[in-house]
Every structure is written in structure tokens, then in C-alpha cells.
Amino acid sequence: MNAEPASNSFDAHVYGDRLHQEIDQLIADFREATEVVEDPRFKALCETSAEVLIGLRTTIDHYARRDEPAWREPASAATSTDPSR
């Protein structure tokens, strides 16, 4: 996430895939931390953080698959003759 895109074009699916991988790594890191730390409050923080990230990953998945109505093209945009869409 540190590097800027190489060109002015932006592919949301490529970026989404990259975010998905980074989120997966963070989830694994938080889950691993719950196994090695002693402080129960920190364990709870790590587990809660992992669960929140799972929700974010699910949202990215739904966007990529257009599973949710919010991520679908409106009917008016899909039938538009405007070439910029």
C-alpha cells in the first residue's frame, strides 16, 4: 500500500485483490498474537481486530462479485449511451 500506481489508470479489482491479500496477512498476524500474548485484554483486542478485518475482507469480496445491491450498476447507468461511463 506504500507504492503509488504506475500509471494514471486505476483498476479497482487489482487494488481490491492486493488489499484482500494484505488484510489476510493482518488477520493471520492478529490471530497469531492471540496465541502468544498473556494479557487477556490484548488477546481480546487482537481477536476483535481480526473479526473486523474479516468483515472488511467480506465487503471487498462482495464488491468484486457485485453480490450486494449497493455494488451493482444502477439500471439507468447500465443503459446509458454516455461513452464516459
Side-chain angles (χ1 to χ4, degrees), residues 26-36 46-47 50-51 54:
L26 282 172
I27 292 168
D29 291 345
F30 278 119
R31 292 271 164 88
E32 181 181 337
T34 64
E35 301 295 323
V36 297
C46 290
E47 187 57 37
E51 294 297 324
I54 289 169

Side-chain angles (χ1 to χ4, degrees), residues 45-61:
L45 172 70
C46 290
E47 187 57 37
T48 301
S49 297
E51 294 297 324
V52 168
L53 289 168
I54 289 169
L56 178 58
R57 183 183 61 194
T58 300
T59 301
I60 292 170
D61 291 343

Side-chain angles (χ1 to χ4, degrees), residues 1 3-4 9 20 22 24-25 36-37 48 56 60 71-72 76 81:
M1 288 189 4
E4 290 292 320
S9 66
H20 197 286
E22 291 180 18
D24 282 345
Q25 183 59 53
V36 297
V37 299
T48 301
L56 178 58
I60 292 170
W71 304 128
R72 296 185 191 130
S76 60
T81 58

